[in-house]
Amino acid sequence: MLQPFEPFKIAYIDRLIALNKKYLVTQTYHTGDVNFNDGSRHKIHLLASDYEELSCARTHANALRENDRFAAVIHLDIPEHRRKLLDILQPDSAYVLFFAAIKSAKDLEKYLNINYRDHMRRWIDKNTTWSLKHGAGIRPSLQLTFGVLYIELKYNGHAVKIKFEDLERA
């Protein structure tokens, strides 16, 4: 299973504040547990998404709250929230925090084209009426919404948006 997000680093906190992205939304991150060799197998994996506007952060958290006990809004400019975040980031913490940002969307799209070509074709064959020609170019693009990675597949004037985890199962 692909894990596209970076571990959250303490250095990101000041950078996010400088960028006026002082609200983080945390949520359970099930895909984060794929890297067991780093000693984090028995830890709770979380994903943090950054926001400039509190209303957007609250919308995201509210969309998660019913089904995710780790859904929360962290205000980086509130000292108690910042201390809690720093506690989460300690090596002996019960948590591993990932940052909902992708270093290079272009590199990830290239990776998808190489390693998930068959998954894309199977998903398209099963879920669309598209008639793919041999060697046809399917163009994936990435979108991140409320901490969920989506892939938009485009082909011959058609487009479909699917959760990446659904593509992986194809």
Side-chain angles (χ1 to χ4, degrees), residues 103-116:
K103 264 189 180 175
S104 170
K106 191 175 214 173
D107 288 347
L108 186 54
E109 288 173 10
K110 183 178 176 182
Y111 179 86
L112 291 172
N113 275 321
I114 293 169
N115 297 291
Y116 285 85

Side-chain angles (χ1 to χ4, degrees), residues 3-17 19-29 31-32 45-52 60 74 76 85 88-89 96-104 108 144 146-149:
Q3 197 298 95
F5 303 120
E6 294 293 313
F8 194 99
K9 296 179 177 128
I10 291 173
Y12 296 165
I13 297 171
D14 289 331
R15 181 72 177 136
L16 287 168
I17 291 171
L19 292 170
N20 198 33
K21 295 187 174 215
K22 57 186 175 183
Y23 306 106
L24 293 179
V25 174
T26 58
Q27 67 190 87
T28 304
Y29 183 45
T31 310
H45 294 85
L46 302 174
L47 183 67
S49 302
D50 62 302
Y51 291 92
E52 284 184 33
H60 179 169
I74 297 173
L76 295 177
L85 179 60
I88 288 171
L89 294 172
V96 176
L97 184 63
F98 292 89
F99 188 34
I102 299 166
K103 264 189 180 175
S104 170
L108 186 54
L144 185 63
F146 290 162
V148 177
L149 186 63

